[in-house]
Amino acid sequence: MRNLNSKLVMDFISEQGYDSIEKTYVAYTPLENYVCIAIAESYDNETEENSAQLAVEAVLTAFEKKPSLKRLREYIRYANEQILLHSTRSQLKVSLTVLVSDYTRMRYAYCGNTRIYILYENLLTHVSKTQTKYQQLLEQDQEDSPDPQEIHNLTEYLGREKSVRPFVSKMTALTEGSTVLFATSNLWGRLSEIEILDAYEYTKTGREFLEILQELLLSLQEEHDQRMGSFTAAFLYIEKTFKEDVQKKKKKKRMIWTLLIVLAVLAVIFLVTILCIRAMDRKKIAEIEKHDTRGVRYLTYGNYDKAYTEYEQAVKLSDGLNMNNWQYIEKKQELSETVTDRETVLTLFQEAEAAFLGGEYEQAQKLYAQVEKQAEYQGFDQISGSAQKKMAEITTRLQILQYISLGDMYQSIEDPEEALRQYQKALNELTKIVDLELQSDVQAKIFAVRQKQKEESQAQEAAAQEAEKQKEEEKAAEKEAKAAEKEAAADRAVIKITTYIVNANNALDEGRTERARELYKQALARYQKFTGSTEDADKLYQDITALGQAITEAEVKAAELAKEERLSQAAKYALQAKEAGRGGDLPKARELYEDALAVYRELDIWDERVEAVYDAIDELEQGSAEQPNVPAQENTPAQGQDNTSGQEGNSGQENVLEQKKANASARKNAAIRGKQETDLT
C-alpha cells in the first residue's frame, strides 16, 4: 500500500573511465512497504570481479530478507562478510552507502567515502560526511584546505577486518519535492557543492541533472588532463510520500507516552537502588583508602609490621567489594589491585625476615630480591632500600660462613696459621654487620687455635730445652745475662702496659670514656709488640680484655642514657606542643609535635606514644579546619608555607633524621669494632 500511494523517481548514470573494469555500482529494490538504495565503489586490484557490485547485491539480499529502517548496520555487516569471504586472490576493499525508506521517512548509513546530498528548492539541506583522513582534517578547522588526495585515504571500509563500524544516521521525514543525490568519490571529490547546485538549478528532469554532472566531470578531465576512473551518480526524486493515518499516529504517541512514563518510574526506582549501592561502595572505598594512607605512612617511616596490619585489613575490605554491580568498577578494581599488591610485598618481606632469622639465607635472598623488584615497581623506595641492605648483609654473612668453614677445614688438617687467617677474614667481615653471637664463636675458635699453638709451642720448647740442655749449661752465663736483660725489658713493657690500663680504668671511673678508649688502644698496640713471658702475656691479655669490655659497657650505658634523655626531650616537646595548642598557637604546636615524632623515628620507637602524637596532630588539623573566622592575612603565611615549602621541609627533616640515625649507627659500630679489636688480641 505504501508503494502504491507514493511516488519516488529513481535514475542513475555510471562511467567506467580509465579503469580496466567498472569500479562503481548502484542498485535499488522497491518493496511494498520499504525501498532500499545502495551505491558502492571498490578500491582493490581485482580485475575479474566488481567487488562494489558484490557489496551492493549483498546489502539488497539482506534487505529483502528483513526489510526495516533499524537494520542498516546488519545489512552493511553482511556485505562486509561477503567481501571478506570473496577476498581469496587479493584483499577486496569497498566503500558503501545504503539508504532505506518506508515512503514516509528515511535513514541512511555509510562506510567509506561514498556520499549523499539532499537538495530542496535549489538548496543543499544535508550533505553526508565520509570516513576518510580528508574528513578528519576538514573537521580540525585548519586554515588551509585539506589535500584532495586524502579523499581516498579511508579510515573505514568493507574488507578491512571482521568488525566494521559504519555511520548510521537518524530517521528523518521525506520531503516532497526534495532530491537525494548519491555520488562516488570521483564525482563529489572533483565537483564542489556550488557546482552541484548550479547543475541542479538549471535542470528540469533528474536525467538532465545527471547528464550535466557527467559533462562537468568530463570537461574537468579534458581541461586538467587528468585520468579519471569509474564514477556513478544516482538520482532519487521524492515526488509524493505516503501519508500516515493521523488518528493512528496519535494513538501510537499515547502508547509511547505511557511507555515512557512507566520507564521513567522504573528508571527512578533503578536510580535509587544504584544510589544506595554507590553509597555503600563509597563507604567501603573510603575505609580502604584510609587503611592505604596509613599503610603508606608506615611504609615511609620503615614500620613494616604496622603497614602490613593496615594492608591486611584493607585486603579483607577489598574482598568484600562487589565487582559485578558496575558501580565504580574501575576504581574498585584499581584499589583492590593496589592494596593486594602492597600486601603481597609486605608478606614477602615478612617471609624473607623469617627465613633470614631462621638462617635460611639463600631462600631469604630470593625473597628479598622479589621484594626489591616489586617495591621498586610500586614506588616504595624505603622497603626497596631495606631489601637491598638485607641482601648485602646476607652476602656478607654467607662470605663469613665460608671463611669460618675454611678455617675449620684448615684446623682439621693441622694448618693453624691458615685457619687463623680465615678466621681473621671472618672477623673483618663481621665489622660490616652486628652479630655478637657469631662474633663470639669466631673469637672462641681463634682462642682455641692459639691455645693449641701455645701448647704445641710449649711442647716444642720442652723438647728443645731437653735436647740443648748441655749447650745451655755451657752458655748459662751468657744466657742469664741476656735473659736478665730480656726480663728487664719485658718488665718495663709490663709496667708501661699496666700503667696504660690503670690510667684507662681511672679515666673510665671519671666518666672520660673517649680518653679510656685512647689509652686502651695504646695498651693494645704495646701488647701486640710484647715479647715477655707467656704468664705475663696472659695476665695482660685478661686485663686488656676486661678493660675493653668495661669500655664497651660504659659506651652502651652512655648510649642508653642518651636515649633516655632523648625520650625525655620528646615528652617535653609533646607537653610544650599541648600547651601551645591550648594557647591557640597551632603552627608552634604542630612544629613541636613534629620534633617529638622526629625523636621517636630517630630512636625507632613505634608504640602508643607515637600513636598519641599522631592523634594529637589530627586533632590540631581538625581544630584548624573548624576555625572559620581566622583573618585571611593570618592564614596566608601558613598556607604559603604548606604549598611551597612543605615538600622541601619534609625532605629536610627526613635528611636530618637519616643523618642522626647514621651518626648513632657510626657510634655503635665504633664501639663494636673496639670490642672486636680487644677480643682479637
Side-chain angles (χ1 to χ4, degrees):
M1 293 296 294
R2 287 177 175 267
N3 189 10
L4 294 176
N5 290 278
S6 61
K7 186 175 182 181
L8 304 181
V9 180
M10 177 73 185
D11 200 355
F12 68 91
I13 190 169
S14 182
E15 286 289 341
Q16 180 175 340
Y18 286 93
D19 292 331
S20 57
I21 65 170
E22 181 73 32
K23 291 290 186 178
T24 59
Y25 194 80
V26 63
Y28 73 101
T29 298
L31 300 179
E32 182 177 355
N33 293 319
Y34 294 96
V35 61
C36 178
I37 304 170
I39 183 170
E41 182 176 3
S42 62
Y43 299 97
D44 48 62
N45 298 323
E46 182 64 41
T47 58
E48 298 182 2
E49 185 179 14
N50 187 357
S51 53
Q53 180 180 354
L54 176 65
V56 170
E57 291 176 350
V59 168
L60 296 180
T61 300
F63 167 74
E64 291 174 356
K65 291 180 180 179
K66 295 180 179 180
S68 173
L69 288 173
K70 300 179 180 180
R71 298 180 180 272
L72 274 73
R73 292 184 190 274
E74 296 181 11
Y75 303 156
I76 294 179
R77 287 172 185 168
Y78 178 73
N80 184 58
E81 292 175 0
Q82 296 300 313
I83 291 297
L84 293 173
L85 185 64
H86 286 76
S87 297
T88 55
R89 292 187 297 270
S90 62
Q91 182 184 3
L92 303 181
K93 304 174 184 178
V94 177
S95 176
L96 175 69
T97 296
V98 180
L99 185 144
V100 177
S101 174
D102 61 353
Y103 300 99
T104 300
R105 298 164 298 173
M106 60 167 281
R107 194 179 191 184
Y108 70 89
Y110 61 83
C111 179
N113 64 351
T114 50
R115 205 178 233 186
I116 68 170
Y117 298 84
I118 300 179
L119 303 95
Y120 181 75
E121 294 183 355
N122 299 329
L123 293 174
L124 281 171
T125 60
H126 180 75
V127 179
S128 66
K129 297 182 180 180
T130 60
Q131 293 176 326
T132 60
K133 184 68 175 178
Y134 177 84
Q135 186 69 40
Q136 293 179 355
L137 296 174
L138 196 63
E139 292 175 353
Q140 289 176 0
D141 294 331
Q142 295 181 350
E143 295 181 358
D144 299 331
S145 299
D147 187 358
Q149 296 296 329
E150 299 294 342
I151 291 175
H152 300 286
N153 188 359
L154 305 183
T155 58
E156 193 69 39
Y157 54 87
L158 302 186
R160 181 183 181 187
E161 53 188 13
K162 289 184 179 181
S163 61
V164 64
R165 293 173 291 275
F167 171 83
V168 180
S169 70
K170 298 179 181 179
M171 271 188 267
T172 58
L174 292 179
T175 303
E176 293 183 357
S178 62
T179 301
V180 181
L181 173 65
F182 299 82
T184 57
S185 62
N186 281 331
L187 190 150
W188 69 264
R190 297 171 184 269
L191 296 180
S192 65
E193 296 177 0
I194 296 176
E195 291 174 327
I196 293 174
L197 283 174
D198 290 341
Y200 180 73
E201 182 179 2
Y202 298 105
T203 56
K204 296 181 179 180
T205 63
R207 188 66 185 178
E208 185 179 359
F209 175 47
L210 294 176
E211 290 175 353
I212 291 177
L213 292 178
Q214 181 181 19
E215 291 176 0
L216 286 173
L217 285 175
L218 295 177
S219 64
L220 288 175
Q221 180 179 353
E222 294 176 359
E223 179 180 353
H224 300 289
D225 193 19
Q226 295 178 351
R227 296 171 61 88
M228 185 170 61
S230 303
F231 70 89
T232 293
F235 178 94
L236 176 65
Y237 178 66
I238 303 167
E239 185 174 340
K240 180 182 178 183
T241 61
F242 177 75
K243 301 298 186 297
E244 294 182 336
D245 187 359
V246 177
Q247 295 299 327
K248 183 178 179 181
K249 191 173 182 180
K250 289 182 178 180
K251 184 179 179 181
K252 185 177 180 181
K253 285 184 178 180
R254 285 194 298 270
M255 292 178 63
I256 292 174
W257 276 109
T258 303
L259 180 60
L260 289 176
I261 293 172
V262 173
L263 291 176
V265 173
L266 294 176
V268 170
I269 297 173
F270 179 75
L271 182 61
V272 172
T273 304
I274 292 301
L275 290 176
C276 294
I277 296 174
R278 285 171 64 91
M280 295 173 62
D281 285 343
R282 283 198 301 269
K283 183 178 179 181
K284 292 181 180 179
I285 290 172
E287 292 179 0
I288 295 173
E289 289 177 342
K290 184 178 180 181
H291 287 294
D292 183 34
T293 302
R294 291 180 178 176
V296 171
R297 183 174 64 187
Y298 287 130
L299 281 173
T300 303
Y301 293 127
N303 192 347
Y304 304 131
D305 293 335
K306 287 279 189 180
Y308 177 75
T309 302
E310 294 294 337
Y311 280 113
E312 190 177 24
Q313 296 176 3
V315 170
K316 289 181 181 179
L317 291 173
S318 66
D319 292 338
L321 290 174
N322 188 355
M323 297 297 180
N324 299 320
N325 62 7
W326 62 267
Q327 296 292 319
Y328 306 106
I329 187 67
E330 294 183 359
K331 186 174 183 179
K332 289 188 288 188
Q333 289 177 348
E334 181 180 357
L335 189 58
S336 177
E337 291 175 358
T338 299
V339 297
T340 302
D341 292 343
R342 292 175 178 176
E343 189 217 18
T344 302
V345 172
L346 292 169
T347 302
L348 286 174
F349 188 82
Q350 289 192 341
E351 292 177 357
E353 288 284 297
F356 177 79
L357 295 176
E360 300 176 1
Y361 296 126
E362 294 183 356
Q363 178 67 16
Q365 196 168 31
K366 293 179 181 178
L367 292 172
Y368 280 128
Q370 295 180 13
V371 171
E372 180 191 7
K373 183 178 180 181
Q374 294 189 19
E376 185 177 0
Y377 175 75
Q378 295 183 24
F380 290 116
D381 297 334
Q382 183 73 18
I383 193 170
S384 177
S386 299
Q388 290 177 357
K389 291 179 181 178
K390 286 291 186 179
M391 286 192 292
E393 183 176 348
I394 289 173
T395 303
T396 303
R397 285 182 176 272
L398 292 175
Q399 185 66 46
I400 291 170
L401 294 177
Q402 183 179 6
Y403 287 145
I404 294 174
S405 178
L406 289 174
D408 294 341
M409 183 190 69
Y410 284 118
Q411 187 177 359
S412 65
I413 61 175
E414 303 297 333
D415 189 352
E417 295 297 333
E418 187 63 28
L420 284 174
R421 192 168 71 86
Q422 296 298 330
Y423 290 144
Q424 185 62 44
K425 288 182 179 179
L427 276 180
N428 293 336
E429 290 294 326
L430 276 168
T431 59
K432 300 178 181 178
I433 62 175
V434 178
D435 193 335
L436 298 179
E437 183 179 356
L438 185 59
Q439 183 178 356
S440 300
D441 292 341
V442 176
Q443 289 175 345
K445 290 178 181 292
I446 292 175
F447 181 79
V449 173
R450 286 184 174 175
Q451 188 66 24
K452 186 176 181 181
Q453 282 182 320
K454 179 181 177 182
E455 293 174 356
E456 291 177 353
S457 177
Q458 290 177 352
Q460 290 176 1
E461 286 178 2
Q465 288 175 3
E466 187 68 27
E468 296 182 358
K469 186 176 181 180
Q470 186 67 31
K471 292 182 181 180
E472 289 179 355
E473 291 177 354
E474 293 175 355
K475 299 179 179 179
E478 183 180 356
K479 286 184 177 180
E480 287 177 359
K482 291 182 178 180
E485 182 179 356
K486 183 178 181 181
E487 184 176 358
D491 291 339
R492 289 193 299 270
V494 169
I495 293 171
K496 190 67 175 176
I497 294 172
T498 304
T499 301
Y500 283 131
I501 293 173
V502 171
N503 292 335
N505 285 322
N506 293 334
L508 191 61
D509 293 337
E510 295 173 0
R512 297 181 297 159
T513 308
E514 294 181 358
R515 177 58 180 170
R517 173 66 70 181
E518 180 180 359
L519 294 171
Y520 164 77
K521 292 180 179 179
Q522 294 179 6
L524 182 62
R526 287 188 175 273
Y527 171 76
Q528 291 175 348
K529 299 178 181 179
F530 181 73
T531 58
S533 65
T534 304
E535 183 178 358
D536 293 335
D538 292 340
K539 180 65 171 60
L540 292 173
Y541 178 80
Q542 293 176 1
D543 293 339
I544 292 174
T545 302
L547 176 61
Q549 292 178 352
I551 293 173
T552 301
E553 291 174 357
E555 290 175 345
V556 171
K557 184 176 181 181
E560 291 177 353
L561 291 175
K563 181 178 180 180
E564 292 178 359
E565 291 178 0
R566 293 293 288 161
L567 288 175
S568 299
Q569 184 65 35
K572 183 177 179 181
Y573 285 146
L575 289 175
Q576 292 175 352
K578 188 174 182 180
E579 292 297 327
R582 290 176 178 176
D585 192 356
L586 300 184
K588 181 63 177 179
R590 181 173 180 85
E591 180 181 359
L592 291 170
Y593 278 132
E594 292 293 340
D595 292 339
L597 284 178
V599 174
Y600 289 136
R601 287 194 292 269
E602 177 185 351
L603 299 179
D604 197 22
I605 291 175
W606 304 95
D607 53 10
E608 63 276 7
R609 290 172 289 185
V610 179
E611 293 296 334
V613 174
Y614 278 130
D615 294 338
I617 292 175
D618 293 338
E619 290 177 1
L620 282 178
E621 291 177 349
Q622 291 176 2
S624 177
E626 293 174 358
Q627 293 179 1
N629 295 325
V630 177
Q633 295 181 351
E634 296 180 1
N635 290 336
T636 303
Q639 184 176 3
Q641 183 180 1
D642 291 339
N643 293 334
T644 60
S645 63
Q647 189 172 3
E648 297 178 359
N650 291 335
S651 177
Q653 186 179 5
E654 292 176 0
N655 292 334
V656 172
L657 294 178
E658 291 296 331
Q659 183 63 35
K660 290 181 180 178
K661 289 183 180 180
N663 293 338
S665 177
R667 290 195 297 271
K668 188 176 181 182
N669 291 334
I672 293 172
R673 285 197 295 272
K675 185 178 179 183
Q676 291 173 352
E677 292 174 358
T678 303
D679 295 335
L680 177 61
T681 58

